């Protein structure tokens, strides 16, 4: 069974700092990996999706990379802002069509003004 | 506005009283799924549906039922709720299974 791990569980940084969030998974047979943001009391918002054949995806100040062979992904946030404070989750989708999504437990990010 | 709508947002019920949490999407998505989120355990998939009349079990299906009679709706049914089903529930949809997931705002269920 796929296991997805996110370390650290919580992170606090001063505004303006660049930071990296980590996601690791045990089974490299994935279709894609998604990064989500979750704000308190709200659902998850998809930030980036990386297909298994891709190495990275970028959106604004966010850059996600994928190393399938080592079972790792990183989410890079440039020039962090207080509005980036949220919980960030990664999820992998299995290779078999109709297979499940497996989520990590998330990294809670606080950006201090 | 494109969205996934869940109702109700909050629900308190008693053990054994059947309940339904509704989920509707207006994006003509084929793939829909249900998750529960518990502290320390993250999100776990309960059921998913690849299309109308096609549903399958996720990681934690025990005690839940679903149906997909129409493309836009995917209700979650708890026939006989128990306290261990107290959780935060999310419905999500995507165009196809490997597209970005769109989530509803969640339903916080408490079973006493």
């Amino acid at each position: 069974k796929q296991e997805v791990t996110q370390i650290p569980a919580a992170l606090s940084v001063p505004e303006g700092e660049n930071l990296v969030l980590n996601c690791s998974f045990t089974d490299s047979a994935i279709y894609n990996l998604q990064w989500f943001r979750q704000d308190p009391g709200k659902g998850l918002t998809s930030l980036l999706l990386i297909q298994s054949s891709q190495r990275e995806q970028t959106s604004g100040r966010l850059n996600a990379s994928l190393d399938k062979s080592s079972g790792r992904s990183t989410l890079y946030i440039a020039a962090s802002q207080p509005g980036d404070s949220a919980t960030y989750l990664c999820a992998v989708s299995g290779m078999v069509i109709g297979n499940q999504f497996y989520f990590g437990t998330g990294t809670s990010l606080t950006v201090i003004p | 506005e494109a969205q996934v709508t869940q109702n109700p947002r909050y629900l308190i019920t008693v053990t054994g009283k059947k309940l339904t949490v509704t989920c509707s999407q207006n994006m003509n998505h084929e793939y829909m799924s249900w998750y529960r989120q518990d502290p320390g355990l993250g999100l776990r998939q309960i059921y998913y549906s690849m299309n109308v009349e096609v549903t399958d079990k996720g990681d934690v299906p025990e005690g839940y039922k679903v149906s997909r009679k129409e493309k836009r709706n995917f209700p979650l049914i708890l026939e006989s709720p128990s306290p261990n089903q107290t959780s935060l529930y999310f419905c999500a949809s995507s165009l196809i299974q490997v597209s970005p997931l769109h989530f509803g705002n969640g339903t916080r269920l408490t079973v006493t």
Side-chain angles (χ1 to χ4, degrees):
Chain A
K1 179 189 161 186
Q2 180 75 267
E3 304 265 348
V4 181
T5 303
Q6 291 185 250
I7 295 173
L11 182 64
S12 186
V13 300
E15 182 177 0
E17 190 163 297
N18 303 325
L19 60 102
V20 174
L21 306 180
N22 297 296
C23 172
S24 61
F25 46 94
T26 55
D27 186 347
S28 61
I30 63 170
Y31 252 116
N32 59 45
L33 183 144
Q34 298 187 49
W35 281 95
F36 296 88
R37 168 185 174 135
Q38 184 174 22
D39 294 286
K42 296 196 173 179
L44 283 70
T45 301
S46 181
L47 298 173
L48 290 164
L49 181 151
I50 311 177
Q51 303 292 355
S52 62
S53 58
Q54 297 174 319
R55 295 285 293 182
E56 65 179 290
Q57 282 286 336
T58 298
S59 175
R61 294 182 294 109
L62 306 179
N63 175 276
S65 68
L66 175 64
D67 184 343
K68 207 173 65 165
S69 61
S70 68
R72 294 183 181 181
S73 175
T74 61
L75 178 67
Y76 174 83
I77 302 177
S80 58
Q81 303 170 358
D84 294 331
S85 298
T87 297
Y88 292 81
L89 297 100
C90 66
V92 296
S93 174
M95 279 293 287
V96 177
I97 290 290
N99 208 335
Q100 302 168 41
F101 285 89
Y102 292 94
F103 282 79
T105 51
T107 295
S108 177
L109 173 66
T110 302
V111 180
I112 304 165
Chain B
E1 180 191 352
Q3 59 186 358
V4 178
T5 303
Q6 286 180 238
N7 281 297
R9 290 293 311 276
Y10 301 92
L11 181 57
I12 300 174
T13 190
V14 296
T15 300
K17 186 176 181 181
K18 181 180 178 180
L19 66 91
T20 300
V21 184
T22 63
C23 174
S24 180
Q25 51 90 8
N26 62 0
M27 296 169 279
N28 202 37
H29 284 172
E30 291 189 355
Y31 184 88
M32 296 186 75
S33 55
W34 277 101
Y35 304 84
R36 59 178 291 173
Q37 186 175 34
D38 301 289
L41 297 177
L43 273 90
R44 292 177 292 167
Q45 194 164 17
I46 304 170
Y47 269 95
Y48 61 91
S49 169
M50 300 290 285
N51 213 325
V52 176
E53 302 291 2
V54 180
T55 63
D56 211 342
K57 297 176 181 179
D59 228 10
V60 288
E62 296 77 20
Y64 305 95
K65 284 176 59 177
V66 293
S67 68
R68 187 95 182 269
K69 294 186 173 65
E70 308 165 275
K71 198 170 189 179
R72 63 184 293 128
N73 295 323
F74 191 44
L76 179 69
I77 302 157
L78 284 73
E79 294 269 0
S80 183
S82 62
N84 65 11
Q85 292 178 298
T86 292
S87 187
L88 180 57
Y89 291 85
F90 287 103
C91 179
S93 71
S94 62
L95 186 60
I96 55 176
Q97 192 239 340
V98 293
S99 302
L101 278 171
H102 297 255
F103 278 80
N105 282 333
T107 295
R108 186 165 293 280
L109 172 65
T110 302
V111 183
T112 61

